[in-house]
Amino acid sequence: MSFQFSVLASGSTGNAIYVATDTQRWLIDAGVSGKKMEQLLKSIQCDPKDLNGILVSHEHSDHIKGVGILARKFNLPVYANEKTWRAMEKDLGKIDTEQKFHFNLEEVKTFGDLDIESFGVSHDAAEPMFYVFHHQGKKLVLATDMGYVSDRIKGTIKEADVFIFESNHDVNLLRMGKYPWSVKRRIISDVGHVSNEDAAYALSDVIGDRTSRIYLAHLSKDNNMKELARMTVEQILREKDHGVGEQFRIFDTDPDEPTALAVV
């Protein structure tokens, strides 16, 4: 029971993930207000002052909105790569130098009983990266904000016990939607976001025998629906002979409500 997580918030309006072991409690991104972040953490019985730190994936506001506030209020260390620090510093407000740490791209850092591995993704940010968490032979993958899923990424994330994986938009909803063409083009580009279909095909290449849970994350508020994302992913995975509901289960995530604290 010592390796737990919750998707605190996930979607176009804000993203945050909680990962914990017996000795470690980490927040990955804080893309909602500081007040909302405190409420989300306390709803899963985590006091923000007990966090070991905040890991930042990239500088977009739906990932960093509450980072500066939490860091100052609870004296938390913040980790990001150098280019992300430069891109987001002006938006975080003042953070003491002693609280600023670098976590380089393609690096593994060990914090107590938790190994955290970073990997780069293709997205329109300074140097976006996400994380794989390793604890006592278990593997938890967080992978969102990707224009596409490269073979290099697949090699890093394959055969995880749990995937928190982007399923951003339905292509038809996006095409028919109200967004201007420039925004639609950005979303479907190689530095945009992964569609439901692309998520399913990527997952079919990385699911392993030990995979037990998949969380569909970062759904677009305007161009997707939970039921549609889940149905699309399930259908494609079944076509690829993966045992949905037998070998593993697929879960929704929400922009306002955290997922139940679960064991990897």
Side-chain angles (χ1 to χ4, degrees):
M1 301 291 289
S2 63
F3 192 10
Q4 297 180 309
F5 69 96
S6 171
V7 183
L8 299 173
S10 183
S12 306
T13 55
N15 298 273
I17 315 290
Y18 172 76
V19 175
T21 65
D22 287 337
T23 70
Q24 299 294 308
R25 290 173 176 82
W26 286 87
L27 183 63
I28 302 88
D29 292 336
V32 298
S33 70
K35 181 178 181 181
K36 178 67 172 177
M37 280 306 321
E38 289 187 55
Q39 293 171 348
L40 290 169
L41 286 163
K42 288 177 179 177
S43 73
I44 59 163
Q45 287 74 55
C46 175
D47 191 324
K49 67 178 175 55
D50 294 331
L51 290 169
N52 291 86
I54 304 172
L55 300 170
V56 177
S57 64
H58 63 294
E59 74 274 13
H60 289 168
S61 62
D62 60 326
H63 293 262
I64 67 165
K65 185 175 182 180
V67 170
I69 298 165
L70 289 178
R72 284 187 292 276
K73 185 171 183 179
F74 300 104
N75 193 33
L76 299 175
V78 178
Y79 290 79
N81 63 53
E82 185 176 350
K83 289 183 180 178
T84 298
W85 266 117
R86 289 203 299 264
M88 72 178 179
E89 228 162 351
K90 65 184 185 302
D91 297 316
L92 297 187
K94 180 174 173 53
I95 297 178
D96 288 343
T97 303
E98 294 77 15
Q99 292 174 257
K100 297 178 181 178
F101 294 87
H102 283 98
F103 199 135
N104 297 323
L105 199 63
E106 316 295 343
E107 182 178 15
V108 179
K109 284 185 179 291
T110 298
F111 301 93
D113 59 356
L114 183 65
D115 295 325
I116 305 176
E117 178 183 5
S118 67
F119 61 95
V121 297
S122 177
H123 193 54
D124 56 351
E127 192 165 66
M129 66 185 195
F130 282 89
Y131 301 95
V132 182
F133 301 86
H134 303 269
H135 173 73
Q136 295 182 354
K138 296 283 189 175
K139 181 175 179 178
L140 166 65
V141 163
L142 171 57
T144 68
D145 296 77
M146 303 176 288
Y148 68 99
V149 187
S150 68
D151 289 340
R152 176 184 53 81
I153 291 174
K154 289 177 184 177
T156 300
I157 68 176
K158 66 180 181 180
E159 299 179 356
D161 297 89
V162 175
F163 291 96
I164 302 168
F165 205 86
E166 177 168 59
S167 190
N168 178 258
H169 60 277
D170 175 81
V171 174
N172 290 326
L173 285 182
L174 177 65
R175 285 176 177 160
M176 295 184 297
K178 62 184 180 181
Y179 287 6
W181 171 240
S182 60
V183 176
K184 293 179 181 180
R185 185 170 56 192
R186 175 244 170 193
I187 291 170
I188 63 176
S189 75
D190 282 351
V191 291
H193 291 279
V194 168
S195 69
N196 297 335
E197 293 87 349
D198 288 342
Y201 287 118
L203 282 165
S204 72
D205 290 336
V206 297
I207 290 169
D209 291 340
R210 66 196 225 183
T211 302
S212 61
R213 290 170 174 250
I214 296 170
Y215 288 75
L216 301 182
H218 212 301
L219 272 67
S220 168
K221 181 180 179 181
D222 297 311
N223 303 304
N224 212 349
M225 296 179 287
K226 292 178 183 178
E227 296 80 5
L228 179 58
R230 192 168 62 251
M231 180 183 69
T232 302
V233 172
E234 286 182 353
Q235 180 180 341
I236 291 173
L237 289 179
R238 286 197 174 98
E239 290 172 358
K240 295 288 187 177
D241 294 325
H242 289 290
V244 181
E246 302 165 6
Q247 176 190 346
F248 56 84
R249 293 176 62 196
I250 296 177
F251 294 83
D252 298 323
T253 60
D254 192 88
D256 301 306
E257 297 292 332
T259 62
L261 197 61
V263 177
V264 178

